Amino acid sequence: MTRPATRAQRLILMAEYVLEAGAVPMQQLADHLQVSRMTAYRDVAELQSSGVVRLRRGMAVAGTSSFTETNHAFRSSLHVEAKAALCRAAARWLRSGSTVMLDDSTTVLDMVPIMAEMAPMTVITHSQSVAAEVAKHPQLRLFVVGGSYRRSFESCMGPATVSVLSQVTADVCLMSATAIQAGVCFHPLEESAQVKRMMMAQSDA
C-alpha cells in the first residue's frame, strides 16, 4: 500500500486494519503502514486512549467485540467541523430533483439533512449508515445497493455491488478518499476503491 500522507490518515487506516483483523502483531502493523515500530507503538497508544485499540503482549488488539460500532464511531469523531464545512460547500453541486450517489464515508452523512431541505431528491448508496440517515427523511427517495456486507465499514462491497451500480446513473457522486495526490484519489482497500470508481463512472459530476 502507499504510505498515508498524514498522521490522521494513518490512525484511521491503523484502526480499520486492526478492527478488521481483530489482532495484529506490532511489527506487522508497522510494516503494513510503512512506519517504524516506535511510531506504530505511539499511534497505538493514542488509539488506546480512545478505546479503539489496545496493546497486549506485542499485539495491537481491537478494543471491543463490536468492531462495527467502534470503527464507525471512531471515524465519525474525526474532523467533525471540517466534514460539515465540506458538505455545505458541496451543496452547490446539488439541485432539487437530482439523483445523488453517496458512498460509505462518514463525511457524507452531513449531506443528508442538507439534501432533505432541497427535496425532492434521490439517494443511491451502498452504505447502511447513510441509508439509515436518509430513512429519517421521508421526502428523500432511497435506493440501496446490496452485495457482500463489510461490518467494519457498515456497507456492501464486492462484485454484486459493483454490478448493480453499473446499471444505475446519478447526477452527482459525493464520496471521500483516504488521500488525494496530483488529482488522483487513494484508498487502501481495492474492493472499496472499485465501488467508488464505479460510482464516479456512473455519475455526471
Side-chain angles (χ1 to χ4, degrees), residues 2-6 9 177-187:
T2 303
R3 184 174 180 175
T6 67
Q9 291 168 357
T178 303
I180 300 176
Q181 186 172 11
V184 177
C185 297
F186 164 79
H187 195 282

Side-chain angles (χ1 to χ4, degrees), residues 37-83:
R37 190 180 175 93
M38 182 177 297
T39 297
Y41 270 98
R42 284 198 298 265
D43 288 350
V44 167
E46 181 166 339
L47 292 175
Q48 186 168 246
S49 68
S50 302
V52 177
V53 173
R54 66 178 185 272
L55 181 63
R56 186 173 66 191
R57 299 178 183 177
M59 301 277 289
V61 182
T64 176
S65 60
S66 180
F67 295 172
T68 302
E69 292 177 4
T70 300
N71 197 5
H72 188 266
F74 173 69
R75 288 187 288 122
S76 297
S77 68
L78 296 174
H79 313 300
V80 175
E81 293 182 2
K83 291 175 180 178

Side-chain angles (χ1 to χ4, degrees), residues 98-113:
S98 296
T99 296
V100 183
M101 287 194 186
L102 298 180
D103 73 346
D104 58 358
S105 63
T106 56
T107 301
V108 302
L109 287 172
D110 283 330
M111 283 304 309
V112 178

Side-chain angles (χ1 to χ4, degrees), residues 131-143:
E133 188 65 26
V134 173
K136 298 176 184 177
H137 304 277
Q139 65 270 45
L140 294 175
R141 294 184 60 208
L142 175 63
F143 182 88

Side-chain angles (χ1 to χ4, degrees), residues 101 124 143 160-169 198 202:
M101 287 194 186
I124 299 174
F143 182 88
T161 306
V162 174
S163 177
V164 173
L165 285 170
S166 71
Q167 300 175 55
V168 295
T169 59
M198 182 58 71
Q202 295 301 108

